[in-house]
Amino acid sequence: MNKIFENAFEALKDINKDGQQILAGGFGLCGIPENCIAALRELGKKNLTFVSNNAGVDDFGLGLLLQSKQIKKMMSSYVGENATFEKQLLAGELEVELIPQGTLAERIRAGGAGIPAFFTPTGVGTEVAKGKEVRNIDGRDYVLEKAITGDIAIVRAAKADKFGNLVFRKTARNFNPLCAMAGKITVVEAEEIVEIGEIDPDDVQLSGAFVQRIFKAQNLEKRIEFRTISQ
Amino acid sequence: MPLTRDQIAKRISQEVEDGFVVNLGIGIPTLVANYIPENMFVMLQSENGLLGMGPFPTEDKVDADLINAGKQTITAVDGSAFFDSATSFAMIRGGHVDLTVLGAMQVDQSGNIANWMIPGKMVKGMGGAMDLVAGAKKVVVAMQHVDKHGNSKLLEKCDLPFTGLGCIQKVVTDYGVLEIDEEGFCVKEYAPDLSPEEVAKATAGKVRIAEDCKVMEF
């Protein structure tokens, strides 16, 4: 077994194809797989669908792949911080499916957990429920939402061992373990890679069973979207 | 004079009880945190994966891996926990959040809320709003009572796309505090410079004044 790759480009070059659906961890710019995004830009594949809570900002995160017009569709809960996104959407170059954040998280989780669909109270009676089955269960209405999986998942972790057991850091965890679970091939950029046995089993936040490829993240910028300070 | 944003926030802080798990939305709701009494143990939830949100960090404590749902750098208090987004929304949707405070463009007499899109304008997305209104035990809306043309934002029926149906029990505005039940809006409190009748008059839809209606206290 060897899951370790030299870098993002090496980990992605033989698996990234035109038209793929890619799951990307991160919330805003926090915990995003920066190296993977840069490598996908270098690989230049087109018509990609991205499942990601946000769409980055103009010059960082998934905004980089919008700039290079590699993204055909975004499945996200909030896309407000990105002018390139707005421009492409209004020009009809980009498709967007807006999904309530909890529904998005659960759809990805379900995808990784082998649950094809589930009923949720979120979005009943709203545009989100249009065209979907609504069922009354014990007196309350619920919308049927389908699972999401990805051809590839790209995620960032704070630490990985060589089997792919992962530890995340603070709120950089967010969608990362969920995306990792739901990717057919999951590529992890880890800030630190350690030997098998070095992570206490009680401290593993996502088992290596969900991880296929790992590389050590390099030169992470970890850009902050809104730097708010107390005096 | 209608109330200031801070006065609205201060009044809403009275809805918070010791031991509560609370999610505060962006805008006026965020200000509520400033008025929670220090002797109360309250955990603030940030839906990106933190229960136990603290104040903004000092310069030396800024951490790119620690942000709130508004993508601002924050801190985590003693006793806090980090979790993934599915767990975060299990907490929200599963009814483990005692109180959610959020802003709205419109609320109607049936407890419906619209706060995520205006047709014809760029749609940014609902984020976690639909989950929050569907799941919290108690949802309080903080909003301005009327729009810039003086039209009530409390309506018989929302004409903007819904965020959730029948999920709002209480609205705190710059005019007063209104509860929503089967009979429509009920004016429970009024701003010091207004009368209960003025609050009712400024409210569209079915509205009545509570028998025990009183002036707002801060």
Side-chain angles (χ1 to χ4, degrees):
Chain A
M1 178 205 78
N2 178 32
K3 295 185 179 182
I4 305 297
F5 285 71
E6 182 61 30
N7 54 39
F9 189 85
E10 293 299 320
L12 287 162
K13 67 175 185 186
D14 61 323
I15 54 173
N16 180 212
K17 307 268 183 335
D18 286 330
Q20 279 179 327
Q21 178 152 307
I22 302 179
L23 314 177
F27 183 98
L29 301 178
C30 181
I32 59 172
E34 293 180 25
N35 287 186
C36 285
I37 292 168
L40 290 173
R41 180 153 160 151
E42 205 176 331
L43 287 161
K45 301 298 181 204
K46 305 277 187 193
N47 292 318
L48 303 173
T49 293
F50 269 89
V51 180
S52 169
N53 189 55
N54 311 93
V57 294
D58 283 306
D59 63 342
F60 198 59
L62 292 180
L64 293 170
L65 302 179
L66 286 166
Q67 270 183 356
S68 55
K69 305 208 168 176
Q70 290 172 261
I71 303 182
K72 177 187 71 173
K73 181 179 177 184
M74 286 294 314
M75 297 169 74
S76 305
S77 88
Y78 189 83
V79 292
E81 330 287 356
N82 194 316
T84 312
F85 183 97
E86 185 170 348
K87 207 171 120 201
Q88 292 184 9
L89 185 67
L90 295 172
E93 296 168 358
L94 183 66
E95 202 182 321
V96 62
E97 181 180 344
L98 290 170
I99 304 169
Q101 197 176 135
T103 299
L104 179 63
E106 192 64 15
R107 285 177 70 183
I108 301 170
R109 197 199 69 82
I115 304 290
F118 57 91
F119 283 102
T120 175
T122 302
V124 169
T126 74
E127 304 216 344
V128 163
K130 278 186 183 157
K132 294 173 185 165
E133 182 185 341
V134 174
R135 189 182 299 183
N136 189 287
I137 301 171
D138 296 333
R140 190 174 180 193
D141 285 341
Y142 299 88
V143 188
L144 185 69
E145 294 282 1
K146 286 188 176 170
I148 294 173
T149 56
D151 298 304
I152 300 174
I154 53 173
V155 309
R156 193 173 92 204
K159 194 193 285 185
D161 70 18
K162 290 181 173 174
F163 175 58
N165 289 318
L166 303 183
V167 178
F168 302 92
R169 189 166 175 274
K170 301 188 177 181
T171 56
R173 188 180 323 186
N174 55 59
F175 283 83
N176 279 304
L178 308 171
C179 289
M181 287 169 69
K184 288 192 189 82
I185 304 172
T186 289
V187 179
V188 175
E189 57 181 84
E191 293 174 56
E192 183 187 0
I193 297 177
V194 299
E195 293 300 325
I196 289 169
E198 285 188 44
I199 304 175
D200 186 314
D202 269 336
D203 293 339
V204 173
Q205 293 169 346
L206 189 81
S207 163
F210 298 104
V211 172
Q212 282 71 45
R213 299 185 174 196
I214 310 154
F215 68 91
K216 186 169 186 314
Q218 288 146 23
N219 305 317
L220 290 179
E221 180 182 336
K222 290 201 178 185
R223 192 185 293 188
I224 291 171
E225 218 159 325
F226 301 109
R227 177 183 286 266
T228 42
I229 307 285
S230 300
Q231 293 311 318
Chain B
M1 283 286 285
L3 303 183
T4 63
R5 290 157 55 88
D6 273 290
Q7 286 173 310
I8 296 173
K10 201 170 174 191
R11 170 58 189 83
I12 291 173
S13 70
Q14 295 167 21
E15 306 292 318
V16 179
E17 295 174 30
D18 188 39
F20 262 25
V21 170
V22 178
N23 184 294
L24 302 174
I26 292 164
I28 299 173
T30 305
L31 302 174
V32 173
N34 300 336
Y35 300 104
I36 296 171
E38 276 183 19
N39 61 357
M40 233 181 232
F41 187 87
V42 172
M43 283 297 211
L44 298 179
Q45 208 247 17
S46 187
E47 63 264 28
N48 56 316
L50 164 63
L51 182 62
M53 180 167 51
F56 295 148
T58 50
E59 189 69 54
D60 58 318
K61 294 276 184 350
V62 169
D63 185 340
D65 289 341
L66 182 47
I67 63 166
N68 64 17
K71 292 143 192 161
Q72 298 169 310
T73 48
I74 44 146
T75 53
V77 301
D78 286 349
S80 63
F82 298 112
F83 30 80
D84 67 62
S85 298
T87 305
S88 182
F89 282 90
M91 198 177 279
I92 289 167
R93 209 191 302 101
H96 311 284
V97 173
D98 298 292
L99 173 67
T100 281
V101 183
L102 74 178
M105 299 170 187
Q106 299 177 336
V107 170
D108 71 28
Q109 65 186 31
S110 304
N112 304 325
I113 175 171
N115 75 349
W116 77 284
M117 75 173 280
I118 301 172
K121 290 206 178 167
M122 173 65 191
V123 181
K124 294 184 169 186
M126 67 293 281
M130 287 191 180
D131 305 281
L132 282 159
V133 298
K137 283 184 199 155
K138 184 173 181 184
V139 182
V140 173
V141 170
M143 67 192 292
Q144 308 295 331
H145 205 100
V146 299
D147 67 18
K148 59 185 176 199
H149 306 294
N151 298 316
S152 178
K153 293 161 72 166
L154 283 64
L155 303 169
E156 182 185 352
K157 190 167 192 286
C158 297
D159 52 26
L160 293 172
F162 292 125
T163 306
L165 300 186
C167 45
I168 310 302
Q169 297 87 36
K170 188 174 270 192
V171 184
V172 180
T173 76
D174 48 348
Y175 284 26
V177 179
L178 296 93
E179 289 183 358
I180 301 171
D181 56 25
E182 301 76 32
E183 306 285 308
F185 294 111
C186 181
V187 182
K188 297 287 287 184
E189 298 172 31
Y190 51 96
D193 292 344
L194 297 173
S195 68
E197 290 73 22
E198 284 172 310
V199 178
K201 196 160 175 262
T203 306
K206 206 170 168 189
V207 58
R208 66 187 197 281
I209 296 167
E211 281 177 26
D212 58 351
C213 187
K214 59 178 188 178
V215 67
M216 282 170 89
E217 285 172 32
F218 305 100

